[in-house]
Amino acid sequence: MSERPVEFGDRGGWCLARGRPHPALRPFLRSYDGYWETESVPSRMRTLPTRTTVVILNLGPPLHLEVPDPGVRDRAYGSFVAGMHDGHGMYLSPGGQRGIQLDVTPLGAYTLLGVPMARLTNAAAELPDLLGREARTLVERLADARTWGARFAVLDAFLLRRLDAGPVPDREVARAWRLLDGDPSLPVADLADVGWSRKHLTHRFREQAGLPPKVMARVLRFQRAVGLLRGGAGPAEAAFACGYYDQAHLNRDFRALAGCTPTELVGGPPEPRSVSAPAGASA
């Protein structure tokens, strides 16, 4: 098993190791993102709705999840999967984080994990609860590997096996995802292919992608607005470019999805990209 090439970097107390997955996996995830914290400093990290399912292969201490929903019990997680969300949360870290993050497209996660993504909507699950013993073996092999390139090679082999064995998304669901990802403003009726009703598409899309098409479109639009704002656009400009009715509409969406205003999100200190990776912008 040959090692994967690795690029190294550092950012604000974190060291980074990034590798490219095998070409057969790249339609589903762009990179393997290794990280380790140089100091054991406790921290709280905001989580935002993203266009990906997040897989954390944890080689350090557990993370504790806080969510604003009082009906969801807080708990600590080791290696876990965070499904598609349409709201924000918070992770508490004791410091000393170390692991690998995978940002996987919703339909890629459906195939690679082999479970209906609706099971993980607005939720997280321990990886062994989804994949059993092979998940524990994977994390053990990653921990035992001596280099990041060797770890990424282990991931290649593991995910390629999962890709061969996993379920294939419905053609109609895959088509709807491509259309929505390209233009979140499309009406759901325009996503339904010949022979599928809107109701049937909505049911199958939620099962395989994790969110209904209309909610997924809202998350995708929010993410684009976050990207524009972090790139220097003003709220009014971002609202217009992303198809919000006006700036007030954008502000309401940010409060619902991020728990804060656009100015509070972008104007504050840099936050981790999604769950625990040490990137400089929210996912």
Side-chain angles (χ1 to χ4, degrees):
M1 184 187 303
S2 60
E3 292 195 11
R4 306 298 299 169
V6 181
E7 296 179 1
F8 292 95
D10 62 82
R11 184 174 299 161
W14 295 85
C15 294
L16 313 176
R18 171 166 290 184
R20 291 273 281 168
H22 186 280
L25 297 168
R26 291 176 195 171
F28 313 114
L29 68 160
R30 296 178 181 176
S31 62
Y32 299 140
D33 294 316
Y35 58 89
W36 64 102
E37 199 172 4
T38 56
E39 297 180 7
S40 294
V41 179
S43 61
R44 302 177 78 242
M45 299 170 280
R46 183 190 300 271
T47 65
L48 302 177
T50 77
R51 65 181 298 279
T52 60
T53 293
V54 176
V55 180
I56 295 295
L57 300 160
N58 196 354
L59 307 178
L63 290 169
H64 190 83
L65 170 63
E66 286 186 349
V67 294
D69 184 351
V72 178
R73 183 171 61 91
D74 295 349
R75 57 167 293 183
Y77 289 89
S79 293
F80 64 95
V81 179
M84 299 299 294
H85 282 61
D86 62 353
H88 64 284
M90 196 73 68
Y91 277 89
L92 278 68
S93 167
Q97 290 299 310
R98 183 171 178 265
I100 302 171
Q101 176 166 325
L102 312 179
D103 295 325
V104 189
T105 65
L107 297 184
Y110 171 68
T111 295
L112 295 173
L113 297 174
V115 298
M117 295 313 295
R119 176 177 168 185
L120 297 173
T121 300
N122 288 322
E126 292 278 2
L127 197 60
D129 291 344
L130 298 179
L131 305 184
R133 176 59 192 170
E134 65 176 322
R136 296 186 181 91
T137 300
L138 171 65
V139 175
E140 290 169 2
R141 291 189 65 195
L142 293 172
D144 290 342
R146 301 185 66 178
T147 67
W148 286 101
R151 292 186 181 103
F152 297 157
V154 168
L155 274 175
D156 264 356
F158 177 84
L159 293 176
L160 287 170
R161 290 195 299 270
R162 301 288 308 179
L163 180 63
D164 287 340
V168 178
D170 293 329
R171 179 181 63 86
E172 293 82 359
V173 172
R175 172 183 178 272
W177 164 254
R178 288 193 302 271
L179 291 173
L180 266 187
D181 196 31
D183 183 4
S185 66
L186 284 175
V188 175
D190 292 352
L191 302 176
D193 205 352
V194 176
W196 277 38
S197 67
R198 173 175 173 172
K199 181 177 180 181
H200 186 61
L201 173 65
T202 297
H203 171 73
R204 295 294 291 172
F205 191 97
R206 182 182 182 277
E207 281 298 299
Q208 297 178 15
L211 293 173
K214 187 174 182 179
V215 180
M216 184 73 79
R218 187 185 187 197
V219 169
L220 292 172
R221 180 177 60 185
F222 164 79
Q223 275 293 298
R224 291 190 175 185
V226 171
L228 288 174
L229 291 166
R230 291 200 180 277
E237 179 184 354
F240 177 79
C242 295
Y244 290 95
Y245 297 124
D246 51 26
Q247 186 175 333
H249 182 202
L250 178 142
N251 288 341
R252 288 194 299 272
D253 241 27
F254 267 67
R255 287 194 179 279
L257 297 179
C260 62
T261 67
T263 301
E264 289 168 341
L265 179 65
V266 178
E271 295 181 337
R273 183 173 49 183
S274 50
V275 178
S276 68
S282 297

